[in-house]
Amino acid sequence: MFDAHAFSVSSSSSLPSPSLSTSSPSSSSAPDPAASPLAGYGWTAELDELFAPFAEAGLIPGRLARVDRGLADVVIADPESGEPRTVRADTRAVGSAETIENPCTGDWVALDLAASATGAGPRATVGALLPRGTAIIRKSAGKASEGQVLAANVDTVLIAVSLASDPDLGRVERFVALAWESGAQPLIALTKADLVHDAEFIREDVERAAPGVTVLVVSAGTGAGLDVLRACIGTTTALIGQSGAGKSTLTNALAGAEVMAVQQTRDADQKGRHTTTTRELFPLPGGGVLIDTPGLRGVGLYGGEGLDQAFAEIAALAEECRFDDCSHRTEPGCAVRAALADGTLPERRMDSYLKLQRENEWIASRTDARLAAERARVWKLRTKSARDHIRP
């Protein structure tokens, strides 16, 4: 049994069910996860296996579509109709503070639909979170070294970059490193293509800043490039980017409905206001889901796993350096410095790599210091407790 406090479900509305191409399993066979009403939301055979112990305890699976303080909108398969619908649930049993371990949009959960003791209607409680396959984690704003999860269990990280002003390639590299670090596949959409005449030239520049990443030119206003974009995204896509990049407009275009409010960018600098204030999951007409996220002013990395993938050519050059621990600054036989000297590696690209590398080293040192401080605090408490027990 799960010891979780229940919260009354608000009147829940049905979500449109993403279209599925599945056949009904025979009555003698085990349930087919692909035939689940949640298959269009990303439910898989692996999740079905992970959920077995919770199912035995009488809980049902659900996916977090939006998380507020202590509460969440959860997409479930309605026990009576079998169709996807949302319920309002209490998440306090599994945490509600803004840390990387606590509930986030995109998480799969074990939900307890307990009968109301007052007869006012059903109540729901999130009893447990299922292990995450991927997670987009950035460093929290400010000088703290804590992380903030933007979305969980994502296949594709769609990075929106506006063509209304010259793209900041250094920022693009940050977004790409953040995406690789999540364990998902990055994809770049150059938005507002209808506002420029040199979109293809800009795309080539962005491609050089994002090796191994598909870069598409799209316009949500005219529909140009959207069919190709739909074919490139995965079952669960998280949309990230700066305010004013056209994320809300792109979300509406992909969702086929006005699910997000849209605000105009400032004419002076083409920067936008924060239209999106929370992470929210939307079903897509052709199947799959899209998680829209607020505009990111700061793109601090949390860990360094994605750095070598974002700068793959530098990582490949580093393997040819004379010394394994080469810092690519003054050491002899440095293949990276040689590439800078002959122009095959742009100075701007190297400067961006070194800057992100320094940030990662700082985050690692802060994290290690915080863990050491926590261990010291626990040791002091244990020592004090032991002394209290031996006092006469």
Side-chain angles (χ1 to χ4, degrees), residues 248-287:
S248 296
T249 304
L250 189 57
T251 295
N252 291 338
L254 293 174
E258 295 294 319
V259 295
M260 296 297 300
V262 177
Q263 293 188 17
Q264 297 297 316
T265 56
R266 297 195 298 255
D267 291 334
D269 54 12
Q270 290 300 319
K271 291 184 178 180
R273 302 178 182 88
H274 283 294
T275 301
T276 305
T277 58
T278 187
R279 282 90 77 184
E280 194 161 358
L281 180 149
F282 301 101
L284 299 178

PDB file of all heavy atoms in Angstrom, residues 248-287:
ATOM      1  N   SER A 248       5.402  29.384 -29.114  1.00  0.00           N
ATOM      2  CA  SER A 248       3.952  29.243 -28.930  1.00  0.00           C
ATOM      3  C   SER A 248       3.236  29.123 -30.276  1.00  0.00           C
ATOM      4  O   SER A 248       2.321  28.308 -30.438  1.00  0.00           O
ATOM      5  CB  SER A 248       3.392  30.433 -28.145  1.00  0.00           C
ATOM      6  OG  SER A 248       3.927  30.469 -26.837  1.00  0.00           O
ATOM      7  N   THR A 249       3.655  29.922 -31.257  1.00  0.00           N
ATOM      8  CA  THR A 249       3.056  29.844 -32.590  1.00  0.00           C
ATOM      9  C   THR A 249       3.342  28.482 -33.222  1.00  0.00           C
ATOM     10  O   THR A 249       2.474  27.882 -33.853  1.00  0.00           O
ATOM     11  CB  THR A 249       3.607  30.962 -33.491  1.00  0.00           C
ATOM     12  OG1 THR A 249       3.385  32.226 -32.872  1.00  0.00           O
ATOM     13  CG2 THR A 249       2.924  30.956 -34.845  1.00  0.00           C
ATOM     14  N   LEU A 250       4.557  27.994 -33.026  1.00  0.00           N
ATOM     15  CA  LEU A 250       4.928  26.683 -33.565  1.00  0.00           C
ATOM     16  C   LEU A 250       4.150  25.574 -32.865  1.00  0.00           C
ATOM     17  O   LEU A 250       3.709  24.611 -33.511  1.00  0.00           O
ATOM     18  CB  LEU A 250       6.433  26.473 -33.395  1.00  0.00           C
ATOM     19  CG  LEU A 250       7.048  25.255 -34.093  1.00  0.00           C
ATOM     20  CD1 LEU A 250       6.772  25.300 -35.595  1.00  0.00           C
ATOM     21  CD2 LEU A 250       8.549  25.201 -33.828  1.00  0.00           C
ATOM     22  N   THR A 251       3.957  25.710 -31.555  1.00  0.00           N
ATOM     23  CA  THR A 251       3.152  24.725 -30.817  1.00  0.00           C
ATOM     24  C   THR A 251       1.739  24.660 -31.371  1.00  0.00           C
ATOM     25  O   THR A 251       1.198  23.566 -31.600  1.00  0.00           O
ATOM     26  CB  THR A 251       3.108  25.089 -29.319  1.00  0.00           C
ATOM     27  OG1 THR A 251       4.421  24.993 -28.771  1.00  0.00           O
ATOM     28  CG2 THR A 251       2.184  24.159 -28.550  1.00  0.00           C
ATOM     29  N   ASN A 252       1.117  25.820 -31.603  1.00  0.00           N
ATOM     30  CA  ASN A 252      -0.242  25.851 -32.161  1.00  0.00           C
ATOM     31  C   ASN A 252      -0.291  25.206 -33.540  1.00  0.00           C
ATOM     32  O   ASN A 252      -1.238  24.475 -33.868  1.00  0.00           O
ATOM     33  CB  ASN A 252      -0.739  27.295 -32.247  1.00  0.00           C
ATOM     34  CG  ASN A 252      -0.996  27.913 -30.884  1.00  0.00           C
ATOM     35  OD1 ASN A 252      -1.200  27.201 -29.892  1.00  0.00           O
ATOM     36  ND2 ASN A 252      -0.990  29.231 -30.815  1.00  0.00           N
ATOM     37  N   ALA A 253       0.731  25.458 -34.352  1.00  0.00           N
ATOM     38  CA  ALA A 253       0.750  24.897 -35.701  1.00  0.00           C
ATOM     39  C   ALA A 253       0.879  23.377 -35.661  1.00  0.00           C
ATOM     40  O   ALA A 253       0.197  22.662 -36.412  1.00  0.00           O
ATOM     41  CB  ALA A 253       1.898  25.506 -36.504  1.00  0.00           C
ATOM     42  N   LEU A 254       1.738  22.865 -34.796  1.00  0.00           N
ATOM     43  CA  LEU A 254       1.922  21.417 -34.705  1.00  0.00           C
ATOM     44  C   LEU A 254       0.726  20.734 -34.047  1.00  0.00           C
ATOM     45  O   LEU A 254       0.365  19.615 -34.413  1.00  0.00           O
ATOM     46  CB  LEU A 254       3.204  21.105 -33.920  1.00  0.00           C
ATOM     47  CG  LEU A 254       4.514  21.500 -34.596  1.00  0.00           C
ATOM     48  CD1 LEU A 254       5.696  21.287 -33.653  1.00  0.00           C
ATOM     49  CD2 LEU A 254       4.729  20.717 -35.886  1.00  0.00           C
ATOM     50  N   ALA A 255       0.115  21.411 -33.064  1.00  0.00           N
ATOM     51  CA  ALA A 255      -1.042  20.837 -32.373  1.00  0.00           C
ATOM     52  C   ALA A 255      -2.316  20.946 -33.197  1.00  0.00           C
ATOM     53  O   ALA A 255      -3.307  20.270 -32.907  1.00  0.00           O
ATOM     54  CB  ALA A 255      -1.239  21.515 -31.020  1.00  0.00           C
ATOM     55  N   GLY A 256      -2.315  21.803 -34.214  1.00  0.00           N
ATOM     56  CA  GLY A 256      -3.501  21.967 -35.040  1.00  0.00           C
ATOM     57  C   GLY A 256      -4.624  22.692 -34.333  1.00  0.00           C
ATOM     58  O   GLY A 256      -5.787  22.573 -34.718  1.00  0.00           O
ATOM     59  N   ALA A 257      -4.301  23.467 -33.297  1.00  0.00           N
ATOM     60  CA  ALA A 257      -5.312  24.206 -32.531  1.00  0.00           C
ATOM     61  C   ALA A 257      -4.621  25.330 -31.779  1.00  0.00           C
ATOM     62  O   ALA A 257      -3.402  25.305 -31.562  1.00  0.00           O
ATOM     63  CB  ALA A 257      -6.039  23.285 -31.560  1.00  0.00           C
ATOM     64  N   GLU A 258      -5.408  26.324 -31.361  1.00  0.00           N
ATOM     65  CA  GLU A 258      -4.865  27.452 -30.600  1.00  0.00           C
ATOM     66  C   GLU A 258      -4.771  27.046 -29.128  1.00  0.00           C
ATOM     67  O   GLU A 258      -5.591  27.439 -28.302  1.00  0.00           O
ATOM     68  CB  GLU A 258      -5.754  28.684 -30.765  1.00  0.00           C
ATOM     69  CG  GLU A 258      -5.800  29.226 -32.178  1.00  0.00           C
ATOM     70  CD  GLU A 258      -4.444  29.777 -32.639  1.00  0.00           C
ATOM     71  OE1 GLU A 258      -3.776  30.448 -31.819  1.00  0.00           O
ATOM     72  OE2 GLU A 258      -4.066  29.523 -33.795  1.00  0.00           O
ATOM     73  N   VAL A 259      -3.751  26.259 -28.811  1.00  0.00           N
ATOM     74  CA  VAL A 259      -3.584  25.788 -27.436  1.00  0.00           C
ATOM     75  C   VAL A 259      -2.730  26.735 -26.606  1.00  0.00           C
ATOM     76  O   VAL A 259      -2.711  26.666 -25.383  1.00  0.00           O
ATOM     77  CB  VAL A 259      -2.967  24.374 -27.405  1.00  0.00           C
ATOM     78  CG1 VAL A 259      -3.908  23.366 -28.036  1.00  0.00           C
ATOM     79  CG2 VAL A 259      -1.607  24.353 -28.091  1.00  0.00           C
ATOM     80  N   MET A 260      -1.997  27.644 -27.266  1.00  0.00           N
ATOM     81  CA  MET A 260      -1.122  28.582 -26.574  1.00  0.00           C
ATOM     82  C   MET A 260      -1.418  30.004 -27.020  1.00  0.00           C
ATOM     83  O   MET A 260      -1.664  30.264 -28.197  1.00  0.00           O
ATOM     84  CB  MET A 260       0.352  28.268 -26.867  1.00  0.00           C
ATOM     85  CG  MET A 260       0.825  26.924 -26.350  1.00  0.00           C
ATOM     86  SD  MET A 260       0.753  26.808 -24.549  1.00  0.00           S
ATOM     87  CE  MET A 260       1.860  28.131 -24.087  1.00  0.00           C
ATOM     88  N   ALA A 261      -1.389  30.934 -26.054  1.00  0.00           N
ATOM     89  CA  ALA A 261      -1.511  32.349 -26.385  1.00  0.00           C
ATOM     90  C   ALA A 261      -0.224  32.814 -27.042  1.00  0.00           C
ATOM     91  O   ALA A 261       0.863  32.303 -26.768  1.00  0.00           O
ATOM     92  CB  ALA A 261      -1.792  33.167 -25.129  1.00  0.00           C
ATOM     93  N   VAL A 262      -0.341  33.792 -27.931  1.00  0.00           N
ATOM     94  CA  VAL A 262       0.817  34.301 -28.668  1.00  0.00           C
ATOM     95  C   VAL A 262       0.916  35.801 -28.455  1.00  0.00           C
ATOM     96  O   VAL A 262      -0.089  36.514 -28.536  1.00  0.00           O
ATOM     97  CB  VAL A 262       0.698  33.995 -30.178  1.00  0.00           C
ATOM     98  CG1 VAL A 262       1.878  34.602 -30.931  1.00  0.00           C
ATOM     99  CG2 VAL A 262       0.621  32.491 -30.408  1.00  0.00           C
ATOM    100  N   GLN A 263       2.127  36.284 -28.171  1.00  0.00           N
ATOM    101  CA  GLN A 263       2.362  37.715 -28.030  1.00  0.00           C
ATOM    102  C   GLN A 263       3.367  38.174 -29.071  1.00  0.00           C
ATOM    103  O   GLN A 263       4.220  37.396 -29.521  1.00  0.00           O
ATOM    104  CB  GLN A 263       2.886  38.051 -26.626  1.00  0.00           C
ATOM    105  CG  GLN A 263       1.862  37.816 -25.521  1.00  0.00           C
ATOM    106  CD  GLN A 263       2.346  38.326 -24.183  1.00  0.00           C
ATOM    107  OE1 GLN A 263       3.282  39.118 -24.121  1.00  0.00           O
ATOM    108  NE2 GLN A 263       1.709  37.876 -23.117  1.00  0.00           N
ATOM    109  N   GLN A 264       3.278  39.432 -29.458  1.00  0.00           N
ATOM    110  CA  GLN A 264       4.182  39.989 -30.452  1.00  0.00           C
ATOM    111  C   GLN A 264       5.546  40.283 -29.838  1.00  0.00           C
ATOM    112  O   GLN A 264       5.656  40.641 -28.665  1.00  0.00           O
ATOM    113  CB  GLN A 264       3.599  41.278 -31.036  1.00  0.00           C
ATOM    114  CG  GLN A 264       2.286  41.079 -31.778  1.00  0.00           C
ATOM    115  CD  GLN A 264       2.445  40.176 -32.985  1.00  0.00           C
ATOM    116  OE1 GLN A 264       3.406  40.310 -33.741  1.00  0.00           O
ATOM    117  NE2 GLN A 264       1.515  39.255 -33.166  1.00  0.00           N
ATOM    118  N   THR A 265       6.595  40.142 -30.654  1.00  0.00           N
ATOM    119  CA  THR A 265       7.926  40.523 -30.210  1.00  0.00           C
ATOM    120  C   THR A 265       8.095  42.030 -30.315  1.00  0.00           C
ATOM    121  O   THR A 265       7.356  42.705 -31.036  1.00  0.00           O
ATOM    122  CB  THR A 265       9.011  39.845 -31.072  1.00  0.00           C
ATOM    123  OG1 THR A 265       8.781  40.185 -32.447  1.00  0.00           O
ATOM    124  CG2 THR A 265       8.948  38.336 -30.910  1.00  0.00           C
ATOM    125  N   ARG A 266       9.089  42.561 -29.586  1.00  0.00           N
ATOM    126  CA  ARG A 266       9.376  43.988 -29.657  1.00  0.00           C
ATOM    127  C   ARG A 266      10.056  44.301 -30.983  1.00  0.00           C
ATOM    128  O   ARG A 266      10.974  43.595 -31.417  1.00  0.00           O
ATOM    129  CB  ARG A 266      10.292  44.404 -28.501  1.00  0.00           C
ATOM    130  CG  ARG A 266       9.679  44.207 -27.121  1.00  0.00           C
ATOM    131  CD  ARG A 266      10.482  44.973 -26.070  1.00  0.00           C
ATOM    132  NE  ARG A 266      11.846  44.490 -25.979  1.00  0.00           N
ATOM    133  CZ  ARG A 266      12.295  43.724 -24.981  1.00  0.00           C
ATOM    134  NH1 ARG A 266      11.475  43.333 -24.015  1.00  0.00           N
ATOM    135  NH2 ARG A 266      13.548  43.342 -24.942  1.00  0.00           N
ATOM    136  N   ASP A 267       9.629  45.367 -31.644  1.00  0.00           N
ATOM    137  CA  ASP A 267      10.208  45.723 -32.931  1.00  0.00           C
ATOM    138  C   ASP A 267      11.671  46.112 -32.803  1.00  0.00           C
ATOM    139  O   ASP A 267      12.472  45.879 -33.709  1.00  0.00           O
ATOM    140  CB  ASP A 267       9.427  46.886 -33.559  1.00  0.00           C
ATOM    141  CG  ASP A 267       8.019  46.471 -33.986  1.00  0.00           C
ATOM    142  OD1 ASP A 267       7.829  45.270 -34.257  1.00  0.00           O
ATOM    143  OD2 ASP A 267       7.129  47.347 -34.040  1.00  0.00           O
ATOM    144  N   ALA A 268      12.045  46.710 -31.677  1.00  0.00           N
ATOM    145  CA  ALA A 268      13.403  47.231 -31.518  1.00  0.00           C
ATOM    146  C   ALA A 268      14.453  46.132 -31.559  1.00  0.00           C
ATOM    147  O   ALA A 268      15.485  46.259 -32.206  1.00  0.00           O
ATOM    148  CB  ALA A 268      13.513  48.027 -30.217  1.00  0.00           C
ATOM    149  N   ASP A 269      14.225  45.034 -30.838  1.00  0.00           N
ATOM    150  CA  ASP A 269      15.242  43.987 -30.755  1.00  0.00           C
ATOM    151  C   ASP A 269      14.717  42.597 -31.058  1.00  0.00           C
ATOM    152  O   ASP A 269      15.439  41.613 -30.935  1.00  0.00           O
ATOM    153  CB  ASP A 269      15.883  43.984 -29.360  1.00  0.00           C
ATOM    154  CG  ASP A 269      14.849  43.867 -28.243  1.00  0.00           C
ATOM    155  OD1 ASP A 269      13.676  43.571 -28.547  1.00  0.00           O
ATOM    156  OD2 ASP A 269      15.219  44.087 -27.077  1.00  0.00           O
ATOM    157  N   GLN A 270      13.449  42.496 -31.451  1.00  0.00           N
ATOM    158  CA  GLN A 270      12.827  41.223 -31.798  1.00  0.00           C
ATOM    159  C   GLN A 270      12.811  40.240 -30.631  1.00  0.00           C
ATOM    160  O   GLN A 270      12.740  39.030 -30.819  1.00  0.00           O
ATOM    161  CB  GLN A 270      13.544  40.571 -33.002  1.00  0.00           C
ATOM    162  CG  GLN A 270      13.306  41.300 -34.311  1.00  0.00           C
ATOM    163  CD  GLN A 270      11.829  41.353 -34.697  1.00  0.00           C
ATOM    164  OE1 GLN A 270      11.109  40.380 -34.539  1.00  0.00           O
ATOM    165  NE2 GLN A 270      11.402  42.496 -35.190  1.00  0.00           N
ATOM    166  N   LYS A 271      12.873  40.747 -29.397  1.00  0.00           N
ATOM    167  CA  LYS A 271      12.770  39.890 -28.228  1.00  0.00           C
ATOM    168  C   LYS A 271      11.318  39.802 -27.796  1.00  0.00           C
ATOM    169  O   LYS A 271      10.536  40.727 -27.986  1.00  0.00           O
ATOM    170  CB  LYS A 271      13.632  40.421 -27.077  1.00  0.00           C
ATOM    171  CG  LYS A 271      15.126  40.296 -27.345  1.00  0.00           C
ATOM    172  CD  LYS A 271      15.935  40.739 -26.151  1.00  0.00           C
ATOM    173  CE  LYS A 271      17.420  40.568 -26.419  1.00  0.00           C
ATOM    174  NZ  LYS A 271      18.247  40.996 -25.259  1.00  0.00           N
ATOM    175  N   GLY A 272      10.963  38.683 -27.231  1.00  0.00           N
ATOM    176  CA  GLY A 272       9.575  38.465 -26.857  1.00  0.00           C
ATOM    177  C   GLY A 272       9.357  38.463 -25.364  1.00  0.00           C
ATOM    178  O   GLY A 272      10.297  38.430 -24.571  1.00  0.00           O
ATOM    179  N   ARG A 273       8.077  38.526 -24.972  1.00  0.00           N
ATOM    180  CA  ARG A 273       7.709  38.394 -23.565  1.00  0.00           C
ATOM    181  C   ARG A 273       7.480  36.914 -23.283  1.00  0.00           C
ATOM    182  O   ARG A 273       7.313  36.106 -24.176  1.00  0.00           O
ATOM    183  CB  ARG A 273       6.436  39.193 -23.284  1.00  0.00           C
ATOM    184  CG  ARG A 273       6.554  40.676 -23.610  1.00  0.00           C
ATOM    185  CD  ARG A 273       5.243  41.383 -23.360  1.00  0.00           C
ATOM    186  NE  ARG A 273       5.321  42.801 -23.707  1.00  0.00           N
ATOM    187  CZ  ARG A 273       5.068  43.279 -24.912  1.00  0.00           C
ATOM    188  NH1 ARG A 273       4.722  42.439 -25.893  1.00  0.00           N
ATOM    189  NH2 ARG A 273       5.163  44.557 -25.172  1.00  0.00           N
ATOM    190  N   HIS A 274       7.449  36.578 -21.983  1.00  0.00           N
ATOM    191  CA  HIS A 274       7.225  35.186 -21.587  1.00  0.00           C
ATOM    192  C   HIS A 274       5.751  34.832 -21.764  1.00  0.00           C
ATOM    193  O   HIS A 274       4.952  34.969 -20.844  1.00  0.00           O
ATOM    194  CB  HIS A 274       7.660  34.955 -20.137  1.00  0.00           C
ATOM    195  CG  HIS A 274       9.144  34.840 -19.985  1.00  0.00           C
ATOM    196  ND1 HIS A 274       9.868  33.797 -20.518  1.00  0.00           N
ATOM    197  CD2 HIS A 274      10.048  35.644 -19.369  1.00  0.00           C
ATOM    198  CE1 HIS A 274      11.157  33.950 -20.223  1.00  0.00           C
ATOM    199  NE2 HIS A 274      11.280  35.065 -19.521  1.00  0.00           N
ATOM    200  N   THR A 275       5.374  34.374 -22.962  1.00  0.00           N
ATOM    201  CA  THR A 275       4.000  33.937 -23.185  1.00  0.00           C
ATOM    202  C   THR A 275       3.726  32.665 -22.390  1.00  0.00           C
ATOM    203  O   THR A 275       2.710  32.520 -21.728  1.00  0.00           O
ATOM    204  CB  THR A 275       3.769  33.672 -24.688  1.00  0.00           C
ATOM    205  OG1 THR A 275       4.038  34.879 -25.398  1.00  0.00           O
ATOM    206  CG2 THR A 275       2.348  33.237 -24.952  1.00  0.00           C
ATOM    207  N   THR A 276       4.660  31.703 -22.459  1.00  0.00           N
ATOM    208  CA  THR A 276       4.526  30.442 -21.727  1.00  0.00           C
ATOM    209  C   THR A 276       5.155  30.606 -20.350  1.00  0.00           C
ATOM    210  O   THR A 276       6.302  31.038 -20.240  1.00  0.00           O
ATOM    211  CB  THR A 276       5.237  29.311 -22.493  1.00  0.00           C
ATOM    212  OG1 THR A 276       4.728  29.258 -23.822  1.00  0.00           O
ATOM    213  CG2 THR A 276       5.009  27.978 -21.808  1.00  0.00           C
ATOM    214  N   THR A 277       4.403  30.267 -19.308  1.00  0.00           N
ATOM    215  CA  THR A 277       4.898  30.426 -17.937  1.00  0.00           C
ATOM    216  C   THR A 277       5.116  29.099 -17.229  1.00  0.00           C
ATOM    217  O   THR A 277       5.626  29.075 -16.119  1.00  0.00           O
ATOM    218  CB  THR A 277       3.918  31.277 -17.111  1.00  0.00           C
ATOM    219  OG1 THR A 277       2.631  30.647 -17.121  1.00  0.00           O
ATOM    220  CG2 THR A 277       3.803  32.678 -17.691  1.00  0.00           C
ATOM    221  N   THR A 278       4.741  27.997 -17.857  1.00  0.00           N
ATOM    222  CA  THR A 278       4.935  26.691 -17.247  1.00  0.00           C
ATOM    223  C   THR A 278       5.145  25.658 -18.347  1.00  0.00           C
ATOM    224  O   THR A 278       4.865  25.913 -19.521  1.00  0.00           O
ATOM    225  CB  THR A 278       3.719  26.297 -16.379  1.00  0.00           C
ATOM    226  OG1 THR A 278       4.025  25.094 -15.664  1.00  0.00           O
ATOM    227  CG2 THR A 278       2.488  26.069 -17.241  1.00  0.00           C
ATOM    228  N   ARG A 279       5.653  24.480 -17.967  1.00  0.00           N
ATOM    229  CA  ARG A 279       5.820  23.412 -18.948  1.00  0.00           C
ATOM    230  C   ARG A 279       4.505  22.664 -19.083  1.00  0.00           C
ATOM    231  O   ARG A 279       3.922  22.243 -18.081  1.00  0.00           O
ATOM    232  CB  ARG A 279       6.914  22.450 -18.494  1.00  0.00           C
ATOM    233  CG  ARG A 279       8.306  22.961 -18.718  1.00  0.00           C
ATOM    234  CD  ARG A 279       8.845  23.733 -17.544  1.00  0.00           C
ATOM    235  NE  ARG A 279       9.269  22.869 -16.455  1.00  0.00           N
ATOM    236  CZ  ARG A 279       9.699  23.307 -15.286  1.00  0.00           C
ATOM    237  NH1 ARG A 279       9.759  24.601 -15.043  1.00  0.00           N
ATOM    238  NH2 ARG A 279      10.045  22.475 -14.340  1.00  0.00           N
ATOM    239  N   GLU A 280       4.064  22.466 -20.328  1.00  0.00           N
ATOM    240  CA  GLU A 280       2.767  21.841 -20.539  1.00  0.00           C
ATOM    241  C   GLU A 280       2.821  20.882 -21.720  1.00  0.00           C
ATOM    242  O   GLU A 280       3.440  21.174 -22.737  1.00  0.00           O
ATOM    243  CB  GLU A 280       1.697  22.902 -20.769  1.00  0.00           C
ATOM    244  CG  GLU A 280       0.275  22.378 -20.661  1.00  0.00           C
ATOM    245  CD  GLU A 280      -0.739  23.475 -20.444  1.00  0.00           C
ATOM    246  OE1 GLU A 280      -0.338  24.664 -20.334  1.00  0.00           O
ATOM    247  OE2 GLU A 280      -1.934  23.158 -20.365  1.00  0.00           O
ATOM    248  N   LEU A 281       2.163  19.736 -21.564  1.00  0.00           N
ATOM    249  CA  LEU A 281       2.168  18.676 -22.573  1.00  0.00           C
ATOM    250  C   LEU A 281       0.883  18.708 -23.386  1.00  0.00           C
ATOM    251  O   LEU A 281      -0.212  18.767 -22.817  1.00  0.00           O
ATOM    252  CB  LEU A 281       2.348  17.327 -21.870  1.00  0.00           C
ATOM    253  CG  LEU A 281       2.395  16.052 -22.695  1.00  0.00           C
ATOM    254  CD1 LEU A 281       3.300  15.014 -21.999  1.00  0.00           C
ATOM    255  CD2 LEU A 281       1.007  15.458 -22.873  1.00  0.00           C
ATOM    256  N   PHE A 282       1.030  18.651 -24.718  1.00  0.00           N
ATOM    257  CA  PHE A 282      -0.125  18.672 -25.619  1.00  0.00           C
ATOM    258  C   PHE A 282      -0.068  17.470 -26.563  1.00  0.00           C
ATOM    259  O   PHE A 282       0.998  17.168 -27.106  1.00  0.00           O
ATOM    260  CB  PHE A 282      -0.142  19.956 -26.459  1.00  0.00           C
ATOM    261  CG  PHE A 282      -0.190  21.221 -25.655  1.00  0.00           C
ATOM    262  CD1 PHE A 282       0.961  21.959 -25.441  1.00  0.00           C
ATOM    263  CD2 PHE A 282      -1.388  21.669 -25.105  1.00  0.00           C
ATOM    264  CE1 PHE A 282       0.929  23.137 -24.699  1.00  0.00           C
ATOM    265  CE2 PHE A 282      -1.428  22.839 -24.360  1.00  0.00           C
ATOM    266  CZ  PHE A 282      -0.272  23.567 -24.153  1.00  0.00           C
ATOM    267  N   PRO A 283      -1.215  16.806 -26.796  1.00  0.00           N
ATOM    268  CA  PRO A 283      -1.245  15.722 -27.782  1.00  0.00           C
ATOM    269  C   PRO A 283      -1.207  16.291 -29.194  1.00  0.00           C
ATOM    270  O   PRO A 283      -1.741  17.369 -29.452  1.00  0.00           O
ATOM    271  CB  PRO A 283      -2.579  15.030 -27.498  1.00  0.00           C
ATOM    272  CG  PRO A 283      -3.437  16.099 -26.908  1.00  0.00           C
ATOM    273  CD  PRO A 283      -2.523  16.997 -26.129  1.00  0.00           C
ATOM    274  N   LEU A 284      -0.569  15.582 -30.108  1.00  0.00           N
ATOM    275  CA  LEU A 284      -0.478  16.005 -31.498  1.00  0.00           C
ATOM    276  C   LEU A 284      -1.445  15.197 -32.356  1.00  0.00           C
ATOM    277  O   LEU A 284      -1.679  14.011 -32.080  1.00  0.00           O
ATOM    278  CB  LEU A 284       0.952  15.840 -32.017  1.00  0.00           C
ATOM    279  CG  LEU A 284       2.019  16.659 -31.280  1.00  0.00           C
ATOM    280  CD1 LEU A 284       3.401  16.384 -31.859  1.00  0.00           C
ATOM    281  CD2 LEU A 284       1.702  18.147 -31.317  1.00  0.00           C
ATOM    282  N   PRO A 285      -2.016  15.800 -33.388  1.00  0.00           N
ATOM    283  CA  PRO A 285      -3.049  15.127 -34.188  1.00  0.00           C
ATOM    284  C   PRO A 285      -2.587  13.811 -34.804  1.00  0.00           C
ATOM    285  O   PRO A 285      -3.357  12.857 -34.893  1.00  0.00           O
ATOM    286  CB  PRO A 285      -3.366  16.158 -35.280  1.00  0.00           C
ATOM    287  CG  PRO A 285      -2.961  17.468 -34.711  1.00  0.00           C
ATOM    288  CD  PRO A 285      -1.786  17.186 -33.837  1.00  0.00           C
ATOM    289  N   GLY A 286      -1.334  13.718 -35.221  1.00  0.00           N
ATOM    290  CA  GLY A 286      -0.860  12.497 -35.859  1.00  0.00           C
ATOM    291  C   GLY A 286      -0.285  11.490 -34.894  1.00  0.00           C
ATOM    292  O   GLY A 286       0.304  10.485 -35.318  1.00  0.00           O
ATOM    293  N   GLY A 287      -0.435  11.705 -33.592  1.00  0.00           N
ATOM    294  CA  GLY A 287       0.161  10.824 -32.595  1.00  0.00           C
ATOM    295  C   GLY A 287       1.387  11.471 -31.977  1.00  0.00           C
ATOM    296  O   GLY A 287       2.070  12.286 -32.588  1.00  0.00           O
TER     297      GLY A 287
END
